[in-house]
Amino acid sequence: QVQLVESGGGLVQGGGSLRLSCAASGRTFTPYAMGWFRQAPGKEREFVAAISWLGDNTRYADSVKGRFTISRDNAKNTGYLQMNSLKPEDTAVYYCAARASASGVYSHPTSYNYWGQGTQVTVSS
């Protein structure tokens, strides 16, 4: 079992920045891929960003490309999502996810085995 604990969400003005963190613990079945998804009220859960085990392969949704950066520190068992130039349409619950024993990059939610509890990000106009 892998446990994912998210932190870093909050309220920020448009144009501001936030950094989300996702700490993994338990039996992590390394290597494991990581990803971030978000869900706004009344909308489907959508892909945001993904990263491979070694961090040498990343993938971003078109809506966040150039503004968000996904990274990880395997020595700390922690993944990150740096969010810059935030817009009101970025407001959503953000979820981190992990796929155990995986070295690739995955953009579909069904590819992931484990999920964090979600953290609220609210961007005011």
Side-chain angles (χ1 to χ4, degrees):
Q1 285 286 341
V2 176
Q3 294 81 48
L4 303 177
V5 180
E6 302 176 347
S7 61
L11 175 64
V12 66
Q13 292 187 6
S17 298
L18 286 173
R19 188 177 77 159
L20 306 183
S21 298
C22 181
S25 61
R27 293 184 294 151
T28 51
F29 297 101
T30 58
Y32 60 92
M34 298 189 71
W36 290 90
F37 296 79
R38 67 187 183 187
Q39 188 167 22
K43 298 180 66 178
E44 299 293 324
R45 184 171 299 188
E46 66 174 349
F47 169 74
V48 176
I51 188 168
S52 63
W53 164 247
L54 293 177
D56 57 348
N57 193 5
T58 58
R59 185 180 299 167
Y60 296 92
D62 289 341
S63 59
V64 307
K65 193 173 299 181
R67 300 187 298 121
F68 291 10
T69 303
I70 188 171
S71 62
R72 65 192 299 165
D73 186 341
N74 288 345
K76 300 181 184 294
N77 289 319
T78 302
Y80 305 95
L81 183 68
Q82 178 67 46
M83 305 185 295
N84 298 328
S85 302
L86 284 162
K87 307 173 181 179
E89 50 262 46
D90 294 318
T91 295
V93 177
Y94 283 70
Y95 300 89
C96 66
R99 181 178 175 87
S101 303
S103 298
V105 179
Y106 309 91
S107 58
H108 199 280
T110 59
S111 298
Y112 291 89
N113 309 106
Y114 301 98
W115 292 83
Q117 77 284 359
T119 184
Q120 177 70 47
V121 172
T122 302
V123 185
S124 62
S125 59

